[in-house]
Amino acid sequence: MPLEIPKDKWPGSVRAVTIGAASADGGTRSKSITIGGQTTLPYLHFEAPTPNQPVVGIEIKSRRPEDWSTLLNEPWGDVMDDPAAWAKKAEEAGAGLLVLGLTLADSPEDAVKAVKSVLAASGLPLVVWGPGQAEKDNELLVPVAEAAKGERLVLGICEDKNYRTIVATAMANGHLVQARTPMDVNLSKQLNILISDMGMPKDRIIMDPTTGALGYGIEYGYSVMQRLRLAALQGDAMTQFPMLVTPGYEAWKTKEAKVGEGVPETWGDWKTRAVNWETYTALALIESGADIVVLRHPESVARVKAAIAELVTA
Amino acid sequence: MALSGIQIYKLLPQTNCKECGFPTCLAFAMKLAAKQVELSSCPYVSEESKKQLAESAAPPIRLVALKGAGAEVKAGNEVVMFRHEKTFYNKPGLFIHVKASDPDLAAKVAAADAYKVNYVGMDFTVDGFALVLDSDAAAAIQTVRGATKRPLILIGDAAALQAGLSACGGETPLLYAADASNADALAELAKGKAALTVKADSLEALADLTQKIQAKGVEDMVLDLGGKNLSEWLTRSTQVRRLALKANFRALGYPVIAFPCDAQDEGIAAAQAIAKYAGFIVLSEFKPELLYPLLVLRENIYTDPQKPIQVQPGVYEINQPKPESPVLVTTNFSITYFSVANEVEGSGLPAWLVVTDAEGMSVLTAWAAGKFDAERIAKAIKGFDVASKVAKKRVVLPGHVAVLSGELEAELPDWEIRVGPREAVDLPAFMKQALN
Ligand code: SF4
């Protein structure tokens, strides 16, 4: 019996966004990456091809993190003391881009030095996060943006209470911004509007709708991402940005991933469970429309990349 | 698709005889559409109309229930493509793959059967076993039944399935699998006694086969979509769901079975199957580190978005608090609770976390709705007898409800009221710096 498969035809599409600038474009990256551009829901090749595949980023820090799970010391080891060495190792582990997290202990000079050393050590496109306190973020990200002018970094994290300075310096120095809102479609749109209203070109905004980890609110992030993507396809301009989410950060906060002692035996082998926790969180978000997932463990990176390779094959 | 009142009215006699107890056929039709009356109240409906009305009342994806020796698992009856449109209803059953020829069959089944893991107050288990009948079927089923009551999927050729089925008296197992070569024989076998998996290389061939099998009198079918990788499976699963829900295409209106056990990365394939419409999922073996995250993912995806998970109000102990540890207050919205508990737990700092009954709303929403006010907080502190646990009567309010501190002082005169940060992520720093 011939079947007529119901197909969706959408009026809108996601904007394509390029991160990182190679020398021809005024930067030093060995290559840039482009994400977004979708004209239908994720990986439905019978409706439209996947124009750009999602990218797996690896999160590194400017200093050895004190609060990371000890399981993450195994794969990274000594390089956690040196962002440049860490960047190299992350590239070897298969990262498609790097995410460098600055810390409260960094001075502006430290931050610039860390960013420059990472840029020198690896040709991957780079996302730089402030430590997450408004004043300190501004204090560190402005000199970083200036020092890396033209590299098309992604500067994060812009939130409603702290986006102006970051957006301004990103505009002045040819970078992009990561616009984060707490798991809500309207808040997401609103921040994108505020950032656009400052004059930020629309191909330099990446949305971060926030996610919860598996077991800790992933269903909210998952559904908000699906709704944002549907809105984009329906033609709502202020949702037509690629999405970055941080399953690594979220998953490794959970007890299930973080600790191996004092937890129920029914949770099974710690390491496998922990990597599964991060991997499944990432996979679910990729199915709901993530364009960048930022991870921490190299095994999760390999598994998620293999899944992406299967998903983008028509 | 369900019919509207007007559509139903057209199928009624339209004589307004009032015997149904309603003044007009139209009034009766409206009640029928709202499912408030039974069609049998009208003695004059034609056989043809009855058939049409029955068809329209059938769900677009058939509900298939597998029954074991006292336990049951259901799939189907789904109504939306995206969970936010309404909710997903029947969680996919997770089955563990075992073999009749395995000398450790009894022990393996018993271990998986006994598994029980707790997640926010709910106990999760495996749902059943997929038994490959590669040696004496009756003996294997006897062994399995000695170790579990859960439903079975029987895998084998027609002869093995026949032997297996006759050893499963009174149960409804799922037989695997009918294809073009054996559809007649398996349909005969399954009729009235079992659900039947149907598999084919394309959706067209699958639809032809289900219709053929249905004509033989089998109602309960489950679809094996095949698919060589994640992308192909996602495509087929999405197409089947769309055909059923959007085109009301009956020939593929059945639950889908997935076999992550055959995939490159079992966990990833199972995670996709959970998110993307599987009704039954077969895992290669019982491994808690694989199973627990999948059970949690399944729970999360199938949580009704209109009814957020709530946690039980009470006093939660984080990192073994002592009498001098601080008392924190939050609401019983699960995500609010999790973010607070998770930050504090991750910091290693001990605390008493008082979860108040805010009807499952977040701090700000509950405050705006009057479900998280000084009175409720005081009631929780008193009701849970927090004072008896601590040496220092000091309570930390979420920063978003700083305005409540005055009223709370009035409600709890012998307590010191402190205003904490707005976001959970800032709690550890606040506890380290401000509470010592
Ligand atoms: S009993 Fe049947 S025919 Fe008579 S009024 Fe009711 S619906 Fe109409």
Side-chain angles (χ1 to χ4, degrees):
Chain A
M1 170 195 314
L3 289 183
E4 205 175 311
I5 309 279
K7 286 188 188 175
D8 287 328
K9 200 148 174 38
W10 301 102
S13 62
V14 180
R15 218 171 266 282
V17 167
T18 298
I19 306 171
S23 57
D25 304 309
T28 62
R29 304 301 75 212
S30 53
K31 80 180 185 61
S32 60
I33 53 170
T34 299
I35 52 171
Q38 296 90 336
T39 55
T40 189
L41 292 167
Y43 319 113
L44 299 183
H45 305 290
F46 65 101
E47 290 182 337
T50 303
N52 296 294
Q53 50 177 10
V55 176
V56 179
I58 293 185
E59 181 184 353
I60 64 175
K61 304 286 277 184
S62 58
R63 288 161 194 268
R64 175 178 282 272
E66 282 164 23
D67 57 347
W68 282 27
S69 169
T70 52
L71 270 188
L72 291 162
N73 295 339
E74 263 171 49
W76 299 121
D78 291 345
V79 302
M80 294 173 103
D81 293 314
D82 174 6
W86 198 348
K88 264 203 191 109
K89 199 159 178 176
E91 184 170 2
E92 285 160 20
L97 63 73
L98 297 173
V99 177
L100 172 64
L102 302 172
T103 69
L104 285 173
D106 291 326
S107 67
E109 295 73 31
D110 296 336
V112 168
K113 193 173 150 233
V115 169
K116 284 196 153 169
S117 74
V118 167
L119 287 171
S122 162
L124 291 175
L126 180 64
V127 179
V128 182
W129 289 343
Q133 280 187 11
E135 262 172 53
K136 189 77 184 182
D137 286 359
N138 294 346
E139 188 189 325
L140 300 187
L141 288 174
V142 171
V144 162
E146 287 165 357
K149 188 174 171 103
E151 292 280 12
R152 280 186 90 90
L153 305 180
V154 179
L155 300 180
I157 296 170
C158 291
E159 297 183 79
D160 66 344
K161 58 180 185 284
N162 189 38
Y163 67 92
R164 295 180 160 275
T165 307
I166 301 175
V167 171
T169 194
M171 280 168 58
N173 296 291
H175 301 305
L176 290 72
V177 293
Q178 173 184 342
R180 171 178 284 180
T181 44
M183 294 200 266
D184 183 285
V185 171
N186 290 322
L187 292 179
S188 200
K189 280 179 65 170
Q190 197 182 321
L191 182 58
N192 296 335
I193 292 170
L194 292 172
I195 291 175
S196 305
D197 283 353
M198 283 184 67
M200 187 68 175
K202 294 197 184 62
D203 62 352
R204 279 162 50 188
I205 299 173
I206 294 173
M207 298 194 280
D208 172 359
T210 316
T211 180
L214 181 56
Y216 296 80
I218 192 177
E219 66 270 36
Y220 295 89
Y222 180 87
S223 282
V224 164
M225 288 170 73
Q226 286 189 325
R227 290 171 57 202
L228 281 168
R229 185 50 50 88
L230 285 166
L233 295 173
Q234 278 152 1
D236 180 340
M238 280 302 139
T239 57
Q240 293 175 329
F241 304 98
M243 293 188 276
L244 175 154
V245 274
T246 54
Y249 168 79
E250 297 294 339
W252 285 101
K253 269 201 306 193
T254 69
K255 202 169 178 178
E256 280 85 347
K258 196 169 184 178
V259 295
E261 276 170 31
V263 300
E265 224 166 89
T266 46
W267 287 5
D269 174 71
W270 177 24
K271 190 194 146 191
T272 313
R273 172 185 81 235
V275 170
N276 281 344
W277 216 263
E278 182 176 39
T279 301
Y280 301 169
T281 304
L283 192 268
L285 300 175
I286 282 173
E287 301 265 359
S288 66
D291 295 281
I292 298 176
V293 288
V294 183
L295 302 181
R296 286 184 175 175
H297 199 288
E299 280 180 35
S300 313
V301 172
R303 292 176 66 188
V304 172
K305 280 182 70 181
I308 290 172
E310 280 191 31
L311 284 168
V312 299
T313 319
Chain B
M1 293 297 131
L3 297 180
S4 69
I6 300 293
Q7 286 167 319
I8 294 173
Y9 170 70
K10 292 185 180 147
L11 297 169
L12 294 177
Q14 302 175 21
T15 54
N16 302 335
C17 77
K18 303 188 177 50
E19 271 183 54
C20 56
F22 292 90
T24 60
C25 294
L26 182 61
F28 181 66
M30 292 301 178
K31 289 284 172 187
L32 261 184
K35 296 190 166 49
Q36 289 165 343
V37 290
E38 295 286 332
L39 181 62
S40 55
S41 302
C42 168
Y44 306 109
V45 196
S46 70
E47 284 309 310
E48 176 53 31
S49 294
K50 272 188 196 160
K51 202 170 148 241
Q52 285 193 33
L53 286 165
E55 269 173 24
S56 84
I61 301 172
R62 188 176 171 84
L63 184 72
V64 173
L66 306 186
K67 296 193 180 76
E72 184 180 73
V73 56
K74 287 185 278 193
N77 245 357
E78 301 297 336
V79 295
V80 291
M81 298 297 297
F82 304 102
R83 58 185 294 285
H84 67 257
E85 293 174 305
K86 189 167 174 71
T87 187
F88 291 175
Y89 288 102
N90 287 300
K91 295 175 205 167
L94 297 181
F95 284 70
I96 307 293
H97 196 268
V98 289
K99 286 185 171 165
S101 61
D102 188 337
D104 297 329
L105 178 62
K108 280 186 185 165
V109 171
D113 185 78
Y115 182 71
K116 193 160 85 174
V117 63
N118 188 279
Y119 166 72
V120 288
M122 293 174 281
D123 281 328
F124 297 148
T125 63
V126 305
D127 297 289
F129 295 86
L131 174 64
V132 181
L133 299 171
D134 58 353
S135 74
D136 186 344
I141 284 170
Q142 204 184 355
T143 305
V144 169
R145 276 292 163 249
T148 183
K149 291 184 179 342
R150 301 183 197 281
L152 299 180
I153 298 170
L154 302 179
I155 302 174
D157 59 21
L161 290 175
Q162 180 157 26
L165 191 55
S166 47
C168 288
E171 304 181 18
T172 309
L174 172 62
L175 305 185
Y176 187 92
D179 57 21
S181 72
N182 63 2
D184 287 344
L186 291 196
E188 206 50 52
L189 200 57
K191 200 162 134 186
K193 282 184 279 190
L196 183 57
T197 313
V198 184
K199 68 171 180 178
D201 288 336
S202 69
L203 296 188
E204 283 84 359
L206 198 56
D208 288 339
L209 211 47
T210 59
Q211 285 186 310
K212 190 173 152 195
I213 292 171
Q214 199 205 16
K216 299 256 174 209
V218 176
E219 299 289 348
D220 286 336
M221 283 180 262
V222 171
L223 311 175
D224 178 357
L225 306 176
K228 62 179 185 302
N229 59 23
L230 289 175
S231 152
E232 209 164 83
W233 199 88
L234 173 68
T235 294
R236 291 182 186 180
S237 182
T238 305
Q239 291 179 338
V240 163
R241 180 92 152 206
R242 274 199 199 162
L243 280 162
L245 296 187
K246 300 199 167 166
N248 201 25
F249 185 69
R250 298 281 172 186
L252 294 176
Y254 298 98
V256 162
I257 188 168
F259 289 89
C261 50
D262 298 332
Q264 198 84 334
D265 185 322
E266 177 167 20
I268 284 201
Q272 174 177 274
I274 287 169
K276 293 294 172 177
Y277 319 135
F280 302 100
I281 296 174
V282 180
L283 300 173
S284 64
E285 55 178 319
F286 165 62
K287 281 176 290 193
E289 56 276 10
L290 172 74
L291 202 54
Y292 174 52
L294 292 175
L295 287 164
V296 172
L297 179 63
R298 183 180 75 168
E299 182 62 29
N300 291 164
I301 296 288
Y302 277 75
T303 295
D304 185 343
Q306 274 103 57
K307 285 187 235 140
I309 322 178
Q310 303 185 12
V311 291
Q312 196 62 33
V315 184
Y316 288 73
E317 301 183 6
I318 301 184
N319 298 327
Q320 287 109 30
K322 301 187 180 57
E324 61 273 17
S325 303
V327 177
L328 312 175
V329 172
T330 192
T331 74
N332 68 329
F333 175 43
S334 65
I335 301 310
T336 302
Y337 163 78
F338 277 141
S339 42
V340 173
N342 219 20
E343 292 296 345
V344 179
E345 212 163 77
S347 73
L349 300 168
W352 304 95
L353 179 56
V354 177
V355 173
T356 60
D357 182 1
E359 296 178 19
M361 289 184 235
S362 70
V363 168
L364 266 182
T365 321
W367 172 72
K371 308 293 183 194
F372 188 56
D373 53 19
E375 205 181 314
R376 284 201 184 218
I377 297 169
K379 203 174 137 206
I381 302 255
K382 289 179 194 156
F384 303 133
D385 197 14
V386 183
S388 71
K389 303 183 196 301
V390 297
K392 192 168 193 176
K393 290 188 183 171
R394 182 177 66 181
V395 59
V396 179
L397 275 183
H400 279 300
V401 291
V403 293
L404 294 181
S405 51
E407 287 167 49
L408 194 58
E409 260 163 31
E411 295 273 350
L412 297 172
D414 45 352
W415 284 71
E416 180 193 346
I417 314 294
R418 296 284 294 270
V419 175
R422 288 163 164 254
E423 304 301 334
V425 65
D426 300 322
L427 258 174
F430 172 83
M431 288 165 70
K432 268 183 221 156
Q433 288 152 19
L435 289 186
N436 287 319

